[in-house]
C-alpha cells in the first residue's frame, strides 16, 4: 500500500495485468520507449519487452483496428489514444467493429480490448486537448464506458477493464492525473499524496465495472457526477452548505441505475454535472432515467450543469469549465425550486 | 482551349459507357509465363516491375507455362474446378432465391471464382482470412457446409448468426473466415493486427487481408499498409481489382497512373499483380506470399486483375453504367472455362465430364437448398428467436438490456 498519482496507479494496473497474463499487450503513440506523453506506460517496455509494449504509427484507426485483430486472435490489447480529442479517426473501428464483433459473429469472435484515452479540460488544452466525448461512446451498443476519478479506482477499474471480455473505453481525466481538482484554479493543486484516495493497494485487485459509489452521503439533493466533476461537486456542497449526496458513477455504461434511483428517491432532488457539452450529452440520458424511475419522488425539476454547447475554448477556460460556483448555484436553485 | 491561367477540374471517366462498344485494347496483357518468379527473400526493390505486369500461367491454348507453373497436381486442379463450379452454382441459386423473395439480398462472385477458391488452397488450417463480402470461395474451398451458408442467407432458425446479420456476412473461426462487416476496409487493418498477434505469440499462423479496388481508397487501406510495413507482419494483403466499385470504375479509386499493386511499393512491401481469372496463377502467387509470411519475411501485396461479370448485388443494375457485353470482352476470359480447357488439354477432363459435373453440382446445391429451406426462409418457416436479438452483445447481459428484453415481452 502506497500513495500514488493517478498516472502511477494506471501504470501499476497495466504492470499487474501484463505480469499476470502474457496475452496483455500495450501500444499506442509514444507509449513504448518513451513511456507515454503522460508517463502512464513508463518502464513497461523495459520490463516486458518490445513485443508486449511498443510504439505505434500516428494512426488512431490503425491502432484500434490492429487491436481488434489482435483480440480476434486471442490477445488482450490495452491501447492508448493520446488524447480523447483524437479518437475520431478510430470511431469507425470502435463503433462498427469492436462494439459489434461478438454480436454479429454470435460469439465466434470477441473483442476484449481496452482503449485508454486522456479526457476532459481544465488544463488550458483548448479545442483539441480538452474534449469529453463519453456520450459518443455511451450511445454505442456493445461498448462499455468507464471514467475513474481517483488513483485507487483507476487501478482497480483498469484491471477490471483489461480482464473484461468486451471492449471498454477507459477515459482518464487528465486534470486528475497528478492530484484532485475541484475547479478552484486560483488555489495551489494538492497532490494525490495528500488525499486518501491516493492510497493504492499493491498487486492485483479490481473495482467492478457497472458499480457507482457514494462519495459524500447526504439527504438534500443527489448529485450525479464522474471524473473531475466529483471534486467540483464536493466543493460546491461544502461552499453552499447543502447536504448533497454525491454519486461518482465510475462506469457510465453499464450504469449503476440502482444506486442512482435509491439516492434520488431518498433526496427527491437531482443535479447532473459533466464537463461535456450540454445538448445530447450523457446528462440527458441520466435525466431521462431519473425522470422515468423517480418521477413521483421528485420535488423539483432535474437540473444539468455542463460545458456550454461550444467547442472548448482556450482563453475562456474558466468560464467554460463548470466550476464550483456554477454547480453551487444549481444546488441552491434546486433546493429553492 | 481553356483560358490561360484558369485551373480545370479533372474527373476520370471510363472509356466506354452504356451503348458503347466494350474496348479493353488499352489494357496490356503480358504473355503467360513471361513474368519471372523471384525467390521469396527477394529485396522488394528488385521486383518493382512485378507491380506493373501480370503474372499468368495458363496460355490461350490452355497450357500451363512459365516459372509460376507446375505447383498443383491434376487431382488438386480437378478439385479446384469443382470448387469454382460449386460457387457459381451456389451463386445462381441464391440469386434466384432472392428474386423469389426467400431472402432480402445477395451478392454474386461471377467471374471472380478463381481468386478466393485458389487462394484458400495456399493457406494452412489455422490461418485466418479477413474477407470482404465477395470471397465466399474461401468457405466453399474449405468445405464449409453450404447448408449453413444458406441458413445464414435465409436468416432462418438454423442461422449460425441468429438472424442478426445481413445475408452473406458469414463468420467461421473454425474455417479461418473472419466475421464480415458491412463497413468497407475495416477488416484490412484488423488482419494486420491478427498477424502481429501471431508474431507476438511466436505462432506459425498467418493472416490474409482482403479488399476490393474501390475500397483501397478508404483510410484503413493506408492504415493496414503502414502497420504491415512497420511491424513486418505475416500477412498477405489482397486487392481484388474487378474494375468496378458498384457503378464507379476503378480509375476513381486509383487515378490514371500506376496500378493498385504499385501502392505497396512506397511502403517497401513486395507487390505482385496476377491474372485473377487464372486459377493456377492465383494459387502460385498466394503460395509464394504465404511462404514469405511464414518465413518471417513480412507482408506481400497482391493485386488480382479480374472483372466483376455480374451485378454488384441483387440491388444493382449494371446496364445503367457500363456496356452490357463488357464482361464478354474482358481479355482474361472466364476462370471456370480456362481451368476446364487446361484440364481437357491435360487429358484429365472432357466436355462430357464437365457437363455431368455441372449437373451433379447443381443437384448437390439444390439438395442443400431444400435442407436449408426446411429450417425456414426470411419470411416463412422457422426464425431465430426475438431473445436472440438481445443476447450475445456482451458476454454478460447488462441490466438495461435485461429491462428492454422484458419490455419486448420476453
Amino acid at each position: 500500500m502506497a500513495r500514488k498519482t493517478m498516472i502511477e496507479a494506471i501504470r501499476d494496473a497495466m504492470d499487474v495485468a501484463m505480469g499476470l497474463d502474457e496475452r496483455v499487450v500495450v501500444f499506442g503513440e509514444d507509449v513504448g520507449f518513451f513511456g507515454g506523453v503522460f508517463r502512464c506506460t513508463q518502464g513497461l517496455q523495459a520490463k516486458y519487452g518490445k513485443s508486449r509494449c511498443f510504439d505505434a504509427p500516428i494512426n488512431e484507426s490503425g491502432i484500434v483496428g490492429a487491436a481488434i485483430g489482435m483480440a480476434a486472435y486471442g490477445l488482450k490489447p490495452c491501447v492508448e489514444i493520446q488524447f480523447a480529442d483524437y479518437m475520431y479517426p478510430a470511431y469507425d473501428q470502435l463503433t462498427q467493429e469492436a462494439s459489434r464483433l461478438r454480436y454479429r459473429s454470435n460469439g465466434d469472435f470477441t473483442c476484449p480490448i481496452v482503449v485508454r484515452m486522456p479526457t476532459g479540460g481544465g488544463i488550458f488544452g483548448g479545442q483539441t486537448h480538452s474534449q469529453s466525448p463519453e456520450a459518443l461512446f455511451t450511445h454505442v451498443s456493445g461498448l462499455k464506458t468507464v471514467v475513474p476519478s481517483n488513483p485507487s479506482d483507476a487501478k482497480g477499474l483498469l484491471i477490471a477493464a483489461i480482464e473484461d471480455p468486451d471492449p471498454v473505453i477507459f477515459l482518464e481525466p487528465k486534470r486528475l492525473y497528478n492530484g484532485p481538482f475541484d475547479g478552484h484554479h486560483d488555489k495551489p493543486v494538492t497532490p494525490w499524496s495528500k488525499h486518501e484516495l491516493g492510497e493504492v493497494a499493491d498487486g492485483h485487485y479490481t473495482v467492478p465495472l457497472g458499480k457507482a459509489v457514494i462519495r459524500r452521503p447526504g439527504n438534500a439533493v443527489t448529485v450525479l457526477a464522474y471524473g473531475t466533476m466529483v471534486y467540483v461537486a464536493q466543493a460546491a456542497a461544502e461552499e453552499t452548505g447543502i447536504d448533497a449526496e454525491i454519486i461518482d458513477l465510475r462506469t457510465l455504461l453499464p450504469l449503476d441505475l440502482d444506486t442512482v434511483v435509491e439516492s434520488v428517491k431518498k433526496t427527491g432532488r437531482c443535479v447532473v454535472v459533466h464537463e461535456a457539452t450540454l445538448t445530447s450529452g450523457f446528462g440527458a440520458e441520466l435525466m431521462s432515467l431519473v425522470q422515468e424511475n423517480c418521477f413521483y419522488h421528485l420535488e423539483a425539476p432535474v437540473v444539468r450543469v455542463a460545458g456550454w454547447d461550444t467547442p472548448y475554448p482556450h482563453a475562456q477556460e474558466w468560464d467554460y469549465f463548470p466550476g464550483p460556483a456554477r454547480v453551487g448555484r444549481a444546488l441552491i436553485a434546486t433546493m429553492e425550486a | 482551349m481553356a483560358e490561360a491561367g484558369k485551373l480545370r477540374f479533372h474527373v476520370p471517366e471510363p472509356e466506354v459507357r452504356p451503348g458503347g462498344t466494350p474496348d479493353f485494347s488499352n489494357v496490356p496483357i503480358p504473355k503467360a509465363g513471361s513474368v519471372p518468379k523471384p525467390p521469396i527473400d527477394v529485396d522488394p526493390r528488385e521486383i518493382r516491375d512485378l507491380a506493373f505486369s501480370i503474372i499468368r500461367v495458363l496460355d490461350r491454348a490452355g497450357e500451363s507455362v512459365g516459372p509460376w507453373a507446375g505447383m498443383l497436381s491434376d487431382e488438386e486442379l480437378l478439385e479446384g474446378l469443382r470448387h469454382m463450379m460449386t460457387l457459381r452454382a451456389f451463386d445462381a441459386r441464391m440469386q434466384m432465391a432472392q428474386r423469389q423473395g426467400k431472402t432480402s439480398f445477395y451478392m454474386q462472385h461471377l467471374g471472380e471464382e478463381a481468386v478466393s477458391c485458389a487462394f484458400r488452397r495456399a493457406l494452412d488450417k489455422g490461418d485466418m482470412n479477413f474477407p470482404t463480402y465477395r470471397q465466399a470461395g474461401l468457405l466453399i474451398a474449405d468445405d464449409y457446409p453450404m447448408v449453413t451458408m444458406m441458413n445464414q442467407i435465409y436468416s432462418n432458425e438454423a442461422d449460425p448468426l441468429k438472424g442478426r446479420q445481413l445475408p452473406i456476412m458469414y463468420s467461421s473461426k473454425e474455417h479461418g473466415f473472419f466475421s464480415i462487416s458491412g463497413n468497407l476496409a475495416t477488416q484490412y487493418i484488423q488482419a494486420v493486427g491478427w498477424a502481429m498477434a501471431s508474431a507476438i505469440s511466436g505462432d506459425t499462423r498467418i493472416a490474409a487481408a482482403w479488399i476490393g479496388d474501390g475500397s483501397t481508397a478508404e483510410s484503413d487501406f493506408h492504415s493496414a499498409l503502414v502497420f504491415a510495413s512497420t511491424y513486418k507482419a505475416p500477412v498477405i494483403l489482397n486487392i481484388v481489382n474487378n474494375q468496378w466499385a458498384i457503378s464507379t470504375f476503378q480509375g476513381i479509386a486509383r487515378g490514371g497512373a500506376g496500378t493498385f499493386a504499385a501502392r505497396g511499393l512506397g511502403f517497401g512491401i513486395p507487390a505482385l499483380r496476377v491474372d485473377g481469372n487464372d486459377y493456377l496463377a492465383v494459387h502460385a502467387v498466394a503460395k509464394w506470399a504465404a511462404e514469405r509470411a511464414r518465413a518471417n519475411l513480412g507482408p506481400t501485396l497482391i493485386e488480382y486483375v479480374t472483372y466483376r461479370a455480374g451485378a454488384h448485388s441483387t440491388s444493382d443494375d449494371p446496364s445503367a453504367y457500363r456496356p452490357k457485353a463488357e464482361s464478354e470482352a474482358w481479355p482474361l476470359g472466364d476462370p471456370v472455362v480456362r481451368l476446364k480447357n487446361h484440364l481437357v488439354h491435360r487429358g484429365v477432363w472432357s466436355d462430357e465430364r464437365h457437363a455431368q459435373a455441372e449437373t451433379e453440382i447443381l443437384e448437390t446445391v439444390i439438395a442443400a437448398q431444400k435442407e436449408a429451406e426446411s429450417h425456414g426462409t426470411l419470411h416463412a418457416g422457422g426464425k431465430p428467436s426475438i431473445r436472440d436479438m438481445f443476447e450475445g452483445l456482451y458476454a454478460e447481459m447488462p441490466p438495461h438490456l435485461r429491462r428492454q428484453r422484458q419490455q419486448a415481452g420476453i
Side-chain angles (χ1 to χ4, degrees):
Chain A
M1 200 73 134
R3 294 253 161 131
K4 287 184 158 83
T5 65
M6 198 190 270
I7 289 167
E8 291 162 340
I10 285 164
R11 185 193 304 152
D12 190 11
M14 285 184 272
D15 190 357
V16 167
M18 292 173 89
L20 288 174
D21 187 346
E22 63 177 17
R23 295 172 302 168
V24 178
V25 292
V26 168
F27 64 99
E29 295 156 20
D30 303 297
V31 161
F33 180 82
F34 180 59
V37 294
F38 291 107
R39 321 311 296 151
C40 287
T41 55
Q42 193 174 26
L44 295 179
Q45 184 176 82
K47 185 167 176 184
Y48 295 101
K50 284 201 288 186
S51 57
R52 300 282 307 281
C53 176
F54 52 92
D55 290 313
I58 302 175
N59 186 322
E60 289 77 14
S61 180
I63 290 168
V64 175
I68 293 168
M70 289 179 179
Y73 174 91
L75 298 187
K76 293 180 79 69
C78 176
V79 302
E80 178 180 303
I81 301 293
Q82 202 159 77
F83 286 85
D85 314 60
Y86 302 135
M87 68 83 184
Y88 300 94
Y91 200 57
D92 189 32
Q93 289 286 349
L94 288 169
T95 62
Q96 313 299 300
E97 301 291 322
S99 65
R100 297 186 191 162
L101 188 52
R102 176 188 293 277
Y103 188 74
R104 76 173 197 230
S105 71
N106 193 30
D108 200 17
F109 295 93
T110 60
C111 191
I113 66 170
V114 177
V115 185
R116 295 179 39 245
M117 309 178 192
T119 187
I123 56 149
F124 281 97
Q127 293 185 25
T128 56
H129 299 80
S130 308
Q131 293 172 32
S132 298
E134 60 272 15
L136 296 172
F137 297 118
T138 55
H139 191 57
V140 179
S141 311
L143 296 179
K144 295 181 177 179
T145 302
V146 175
V147 191
S149 69
N150 60 74
S152 177
D153 276 1
K155 179 177 171 182
L157 286 166
L158 183 52
I159 293 175
I162 292 170
E163 291 173 356
D164 195 274
D166 290 308
V168 181
I169 306 295
F170 197 84
L171 293 160
E172 301 166 3
K174 56 190 164 299
R175 178 69 235 205
L176 302 179
Y177 268 161
N178 291 304
F181 178 67
D182 63 8
H184 285 296
H185 52 93
D186 43 352
K187 291 184 191 159
V189 179
T190 24
W192 281 115
S193 59
K194 301 235 170 77
H195 196 285
E196 57 177 8
L197 290 171
E199 200 74 38
V200 176
D202 297 328
H204 179 274
Y205 70 92
T206 59
V207 172
L209 306 186
K211 293 279 175 234
V213 65
I214 295 170
R215 290 287 171 217
R216 183 195 186 281
N219 290 302
V221 52
T222 300
V223 179
L224 303 180
Y226 49 92
T228 310
M229 287 301 130
V230 170
Y231 304 97
V232 174
Q234 283 174 340
E238 274 167 39
E239 288 157 25
T240 56
I242 292 170
D243 185 24
E245 177 147 292
I246 297 169
I247 298 178
D248 179 354
L249 297 174
R250 300 199 288 200
T251 303
L252 307 189
L253 196 96
L255 181 72
D256 184 355
L257 187 62
D258 292 346
T259 299
V260 171
V261 169
E262 195 186 333
S263 175
V264 177
K265 282 186 173 173
K266 177 181 75 177
T267 62
R269 295 169 200 272
C270 182
V271 173
V272 176
V273 192
H274 59 61
E275 280 185 71
T277 51
L278 181 76
T279 301
S280 302
F282 189 63
E285 181 63 29
L286 292 171
M287 279 180 84
S288 301
L289 287 168
V290 167
Q291 190 271 138
E292 283 166 18
N293 290 280
C294 311
F295 185 78
Y296 295 106
H297 293 79
L298 285 173
E299 290 167 40
V302 183
V303 171
R304 280 179 291 174
V305 185
W308 309 117
D309 283 337
T310 69
Y312 206 113
H314 185 242
Q316 302 91 336
E317 175 88 273
W318 305 118
D319 297 296
Y320 182 92
F321 184 92
R326 261 173 73 196
V327 176
R329 284 197 294 277
L331 290 178
I332 293 164
T334 303
M335 293 314 297
E336 290 172 352
Chain B
M1 199 132 134
E3 258 181 85
K6 275 201 178 179
L7 296 169
R8 281 168 301 148
F9 181 54
H10 172 67
V11 181
E13 273 292 329
E15 307 235 329
V16 193
R17 285 295 194 184
T21 309
D23 180 13
F24 289 107
S25 58
N26 66 341
V27 179
I29 308 289
K31 275 178 69 173
S34 64
V35 177
K37 184 181 182 185
I40 57 166
D41 59 352
V42 67
D43 183 332
R45 288 170 297 187
E46 288 173 22
I47 56 163
R48 294 175 69 88
D49 289 356
L50 269 60
F52 298 94
S53 190
I54 301 180
I55 294 165
R56 306 179 65 227
V57 171
L58 292 175
D59 67 12
R60 274 164 188 269
E63 206 164 335
S64 68
V65 294
W68 296 87
M71 297 184 73
L72 292 169
S73 68
D74 289 343
E75 289 70 36
E76 287 171 320
L77 289 172
L78 286 166
E79 196 185 39
L81 182 65
R82 184 172 60 80
H83 290 150
M84 290 201 288
M85 291 169 75
T86 305
L87 178 56
R88 188 166 290 188
F90 182 93
D91 272 350
R93 294 298 297 185
M94 291 297 101
Q95 175 90 1
M96 201 193 305
Q98 191 276 339
R99 295 295 186 232
Q100 291 165 340
K102 291 174 179 171
T103 186
S104 62
F105 183 72
Y106 191 71
M107 298 177 102
Q108 297 195 82
H109 303 75
L110 194 64
E112 301 177 37
E113 292 90 346
V115 176
S116 50
C117 289
F119 185 88
R120 176 67 247 190
R121 189 176 291 284
L123 293 187
D124 289 345
K125 195 84 191 157
D127 295 338
M128 185 63 70
N129 284 287
F130 286 73
T132 76
Y133 47 67
R134 228 188 288 279
Q135 276 87 42
L138 297 169
L139 289 172
I140 298 275
D142 200 49
D143 293 325
Y144 185 75
M146 273 191 285
V147 178
T148 314
M149 293 169 77
M150 290 169 174
N151 288 336
Q152 196 281 326
I153 290 165
Y154 287 141
S155 287
N156 63 20
E157 67 188 8
D159 174 4
L161 307 183
K162 306 288 182 191
R164 294 175 190 148
Q165 268 279 47
L166 203 63
I168 74 164
M169 307 283 186
Y170 316 106
S171 174
S172 176
K173 191 176 196 171
E174 196 196 334
H175 288 266
F177 193 96
F178 184 72
S179 157
I180 295 179
S181 167
N183 290 51
L184 298 177
T186 49
Q187 79 288 346
Y188 218 57
I189 173 67
Q190 292 164 6
V192 177
W194 196 98
M196 288 163 67
S198 187
I200 286 168
S201 308
D203 201 343
T204 57
R205 297 181 286 160
I206 63 169
W210 292 89
I211 205 165
D213 47 286
S215 302
T216 60
E218 291 279 8
S219 19
D220 280 341
F221 174 72
H222 175 260
S223 303
L225 266 60
V226 171
F227 277 67
S229 164
T230 298
Y231 301 110
K232 298 202 186 304
V235 62
I236 307 173
L237 300 160
N238 297 306
I239 304 170
V240 182
N241 176 9
N242 67 13
Q243 316 298 319
W244 291 96
I246 309 185
S247 75
T248 309
F249 94 113
Q250 50 129 335
I252 292 289
R254 183 176 59 80
T259 62
F260 290 105
R263 306 249 141 137
L265 299 180
F267 295 87
I269 298 174
L272 310 178
R273 232 167 150 243
V274 59
D275 179 347
N277 292 10
D278 180 339
Y279 186 95
L280 285 81
V282 168
H283 170 264
V285 164
K287 192 88 186 157
W288 187 88
E291 281 170 16
R292 254 183 65 75
R294 275 186 231 290
N296 216 39
L297 293 163
T300 303
L301 188 128
I302 305 173
E303 176 185 348
Y304 303 88
V305 183
T306 182
Y307 185 86
R308 195 196 77 210
H312 167 70
S313 72
T314 49
S315 309
D316 175 49
D317 172 17
S319 70
Y321 51 82
R322 68 184 192 190
K324 269 196 172 132
E326 197 177 80
S327 69
E328 285 151 39
W330 176 243
L332 296 175
D334 179 305
V336 175
V337 172
R338 284 176 66 194
L339 182 56
K340 177 202 153 198
N341 289 346
H342 173 60
L343 290 166
V344 171
H345 181 86
R346 284 174 86 103
V348 296
W349 199 238
S350 66
D351 286 334
E352 295 73 40
R353 287 170 76 179
H354 192 79
Q356 196 189 343
E358 264 180 342
T359 311
E360 282 166 14
I361 286 167
L362 182 60
E363 279 167 10
T364 314
V365 175
I366 290 172
Q369 191 178 4
K370 278 195 180 135
E371 190 185 335
E373 289 180 10
S374 76
H375 297 293
T377 60
L378 180 59
H379 300 297
K383 292 181 187 321
S385 76
I386 302 170
R387 180 176 282 267
D388 286 324
M389 180 168 70
F390 292 95
E391 282 174 353
L393 180 59
Y394 298 91
E396 201 178 320
M397 189 177 292
H400 70 283
L401 269 183
R402 273 206 304 278
R403 285 192 296 273
Q404 289 173 28
R405 193 181 63 180
Q406 280 161 7
Q407 281 171 20
I410 304 146

